[in-house]
RNA sequence: GGGCCUGUAGCUCAAUUGGUUAGAGCAGAGCGCUCAUAACGCUUUGGUUGCGGGUUCAAGUCCUGCCGGGCCUACCA
């Protein structure tokens, strides 16, 4: 039995996430976690909300709420949606937790002791009307290059020229529109990532099995121009982890907080501490996942994320871990994803474009979404959601192939033998099992290999091929005609096919957990242990009772599809 | 501007990393079946691999030039 630590990129707190966010990290992480648990491995699957930063403060202000209250509410909303999507986190934490405050301050202290923190004085734009320093992006003005009047302080969207906020003509706050801006001197802490460049570079070089998407981004940052740059890890904000050096004050840094990208990955660790605290566990129980000197040396740590998160997970966070030099566990494998597009454009939280998690669950059962999203995961390139594709995939794969197979075998059995697994002579039953396993066995091996390699789309294809075998088998064995002349052999066929349906409940659970439960309940499958051989086609013995389940997947009609297409064509109110 | 990724059948994607005749699913066509959610099974039609050069015994795969799509570019997170 292996021990596997799994984290998903932590979703930002400022609103309800869309399906693109889900498919790029949490959903494939959940697929992997569920599979590994079912294979009998010990899994710790952690996620959290990412709660700090300027956008959280602005979203709270817009909602007319104190930021702590806003975040607490949004955390509950996101936790509810995570349950709705059946994300099987061992703990869903909060980056604003006391545990993360303490750990973040601890890491900063360790880094300072190692000489990896530098104090830098810099000039930043302060908005008197907003009462806050403005990040470059939150300053708008006229581009000195092209004259575009909505250029941002970091870059002009119109002519793509990189800008400095002081370049802008007639600068104003993007938050309030106020032009009452001034440039102030302020002091910040920088993490000297440049000092760790060679160590990071050597470490990345050992990761030849990582996706190109992941390593190429890391290499670019390491080698482009002057190489890896130092990074500011503090901000002038009210909401965040107060800057402290371990448990001590940090002179000169009063009133400042750590930058959200410094504390957010540390929350991966803090989530484990929160898990221990919430479940009455000892420190040793979380440390055995995170401290290589306390039992984590045999842990395999896998991270899931969208491609935009890669630099922070390949460089900044490892720099924090390495720099702290205190036996913390480094990531072993990073699985990164491209983006899911929506009907020819991007999903966009800020523009309300696409389908959001709450809306998705409102219109259809969770497994429709899980199946489509996972079987179309944007692994090799960006992928595209269209309603036509969604409708035909779901109707064909789930309703026609899997749902209909379950329906035909359970109903046929009920009409001829009643709602029990029929009794058949042992030799006939054995022959049916052998014949069927010769087709299932190789596909199962392929499925296992792909799941272990986190080949999400391929795994879905193979699972579908395993479902198809059910229909092929019934067609060839034709128990409805055999029954007329040889009831014993028909019984053997039906018993075998019912067992196959039982296996489907088990094998499909990582992808469609809700339906797997429904199917398992209908067939009275109590043992979800992973199958390994032909004898697993006899787990439901003669006389084992079941009920014919309701239709597992109702089809999506053209009318529904058109209505949703229309409803989700614009932007969210 | 720079870096990286990408372009394969009407659609969504494969192709063991340079190796036989480029494969699946959906959609289309034909046949079969009647247990089943008008479902299922079998057979089958679709490709000058974006375009032009080049390297090689051999190129979807490597090099090069165009054309198109995307991401990142360090103070959004």
């Amino acid at each position: 039995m292996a021990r596997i630590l799994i984290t998903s990129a932590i979703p930002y707190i400022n609103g309800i996430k869309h399906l693109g966010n889900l498919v790029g990290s949490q959903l494939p992480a959940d697929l992997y976690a569920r599979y590994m648990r079912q294979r009998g491995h010990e899994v710790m699957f952690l996620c959290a909300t990412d709660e700090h930063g300027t956008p959280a403060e602005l979203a709270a202000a817009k909602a007319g709420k104190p930021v702590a209250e806003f975040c607490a509410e949004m955390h509950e909303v996101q936790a509810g949606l995570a349950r709705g999507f059946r994300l099987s986190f061992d703990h869903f934490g909060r980056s604003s937790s006391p545990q993360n405050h303490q750990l973040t301050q601890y890491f900063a202290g360790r880094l300072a002791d190692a000489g990896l923190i530098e104090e830098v004085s810099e000039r930043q734009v302060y908005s008197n009307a907003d009462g806050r320093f403005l990040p470059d992006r939150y300053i708008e003005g006229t581009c000195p290059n092209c004259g575009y009047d909505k250029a941002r302080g970091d870059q002009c969207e119109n002519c793509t020229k990189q800008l400095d906020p002081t370049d802008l003509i007639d600068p104003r706050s993007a938050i309030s529109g106020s032009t009452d801006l001034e440039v102030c001197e302020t002091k910040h802490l920088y993490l000297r990532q440049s000092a760790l460049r060679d160590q990071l570079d050597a470490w990345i070089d050992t990761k030849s099995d990582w996706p190109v998407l992941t390593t190429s981004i890391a290499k670019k940052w390491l080698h482009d121009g002057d190489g890896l740059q130092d990074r500011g890890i503090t901000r002038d904000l009210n909401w965040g982890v107060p800057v402290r050096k371990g448990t001590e004050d940090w002179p000169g840094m009063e009133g400042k907080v750590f930058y959200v990208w410094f504390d957010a990955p540390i929350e991966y660790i803090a989530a484990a501490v929160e898990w221990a605290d919430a479940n009455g566990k000892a420190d040793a129980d979380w440390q055995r996942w995170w401290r290589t000197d306390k039992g984590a040396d045999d842990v395999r740590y896998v991270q899931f994320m969208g491609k935009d998160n890669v630099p922070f997970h390949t460089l900044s966070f490892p720099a924090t871990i390495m720099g702290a030099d205190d036996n913390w566990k480094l990531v072993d494998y990073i699985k990164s994803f491209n983006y899911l597009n929506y009907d020819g454009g991007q999903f966009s939280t800020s523009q309300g474009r696409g389908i959001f998690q709450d809306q998705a669950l409102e219109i259809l059962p969770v497994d429709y979404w899980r199946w489509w999203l996972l079987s179309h995961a944007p692994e090799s390139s960006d992928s595209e959601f269209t309603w036509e594709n969604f409708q035909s995939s779901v109707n064909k794969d789930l309703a026609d192939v899997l749902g209909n197979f379950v329906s035909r075998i359970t109903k046929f059995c009920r009409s001829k033998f009643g709602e029990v697994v029929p009794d058949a002579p042992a030799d006939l039953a054995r022959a049916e099992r052998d014949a069927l396993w010769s087709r299932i066995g190789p596909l199962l091996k392929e499925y296992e290999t792909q799941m272990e390699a986190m080949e999400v789309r391929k795994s879905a294809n193979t699972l579908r091929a395993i479902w198809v075998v059910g229909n092929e088998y019934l067609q060839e064995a034709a128990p409805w005609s055999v029954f007329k002349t040889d009831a014993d052999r028909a019984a053997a066929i039906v018993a075998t096919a019912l067992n196959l349906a039982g296996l489907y409940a088990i094998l499909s659970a990582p992808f469609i957990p809700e339906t797997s439960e429904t199917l398992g309940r209908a067939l009275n499958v109590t043992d979800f242990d992973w199958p390994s051989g032909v004898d697993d086609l006899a787990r439901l013995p003669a006389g084992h009772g079941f009920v014919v389940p309701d239709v597992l997947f109702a089809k999506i009609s053209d009318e529904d599809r058109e209505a949703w297409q229309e409803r989700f064509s614009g932007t969210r109110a």
Side-chain angles (χ1 to χ4, degrees), chain A residues 143-296:
Chain A
C143 175
N145 190 47
C146 71
Y148 181 62
D149 67 351
K150 289 196 178 75
R152 291 188 320 209
D154 56 341
Q155 186 173 37
C156 173
E157 283 179 336
N158 190 47
C159 68
T160 73
K161 188 178 166 63
Q162 306 250 355
L163 299 172
D164 187 90
T166 54
D167 297 336
L168 291 173
I169 299 161
D170 299 329
R172 60 184 182 274
S173 162
I175 300 165
S176 61
S178 166
T179 55
D180 184 12
L181 308 177
E182 55 183 299
V183 178
C184 297
E185 194 83 7
T186 179
K187 197 162 68 173
H188 282 294
L189 301 181
Y190 272 66
L191 173 60
R192 295 180 55 229
Q193 297 185 136
S194 55
L196 292 162
R197 187 180 86 153
D198 292 346
Q199 204 181 337
L200 286 164
D201 203 17
W203 176 67
I204 293 288
D205 277 337
T206 66
K207 305 302 180 187
S208 53
D209 60 330
W210 286 10
V212 180
L213 182 64
T214 306
T215 49
S216 66
I217 293 173
K219 284 288 178 187
K220 164 76 157 67
W221 282 48
L222 281 164
H223 297 297
D224 193 42
D226 300 331
L228 189 61
Q229 302 294 296
D230 295 340
R231 190 164 190 115
I233 58 164
T234 57
R235 291 291 183 275
D236 290 295
L237 293 172
N238 299 317
W239 173 241
V241 178
V243 176
R244 294 175 71 86
K245 191 183 289 182
T247 55
E248 297 163 26
D249 290 340
W250 203 312
M253 300 305 292
E254 294 81 7
K256 295 176 195 284
V257 300
F258 286 106
Y259 175 41
V260 56
W261 259 116
F262 184 69
D263 77 66
I266 295 172
E267 169 61 17
Y268 291 145
I269 305 173
V273 186
E274 292 174 47
W275 163 83
D277 290 350
N279 293 284
K281 307 272 185 185
D283 281 349
D285 292 314
W286 69 262
Q287 287 171 338
R288 65 191 280 275
W289 290 102
W290 277 108
R291 296 284 302 226
T292 54
D293 59 338
K294 295 184 178 170

Side-chain angles (χ1 to χ4, degrees), chain A residues 398-471:
Chain A
L398 296 181
D400 293 346
V401 176
L402 176 59
N404 183 48
F405 166 73
V406 170
S407 181
R408 52 198 298 213
I409 186 57
T410 53
K411 286 180 179 171
F412 180 74
C413 183
R414 179 175 63 186
S415 74
K416 304 298 183 199
F417 302 100
E419 285 178 301
V420 292
V421 175
D423 197 8
D427 57 330
L428 290 181
R430 180 83 216 177
E432 291 302 324
R433 286 201 292 278
D434 284 341
L436 183 56
W437 190 260
S438 71
R439 297 162 70 166
I440 291 290
L443 285 170
L444 180 59
K445 280 275 166 293
E446 197 180 327
Y447 183 49
E448 290 165 359
T449 303
Q450 290 162 342
M451 286 293 269
E452 254 149 67
M454 291 166 257
E455 299 259 30
V456 178
R457 299 174 87 123
K458 287 182 182 172
S459 303
N461 274 334
T462 306
L463 178 58
R464 185 190 191 279
I466 290 172
W467 294 339
V468 167
V469 169
N471 287 309

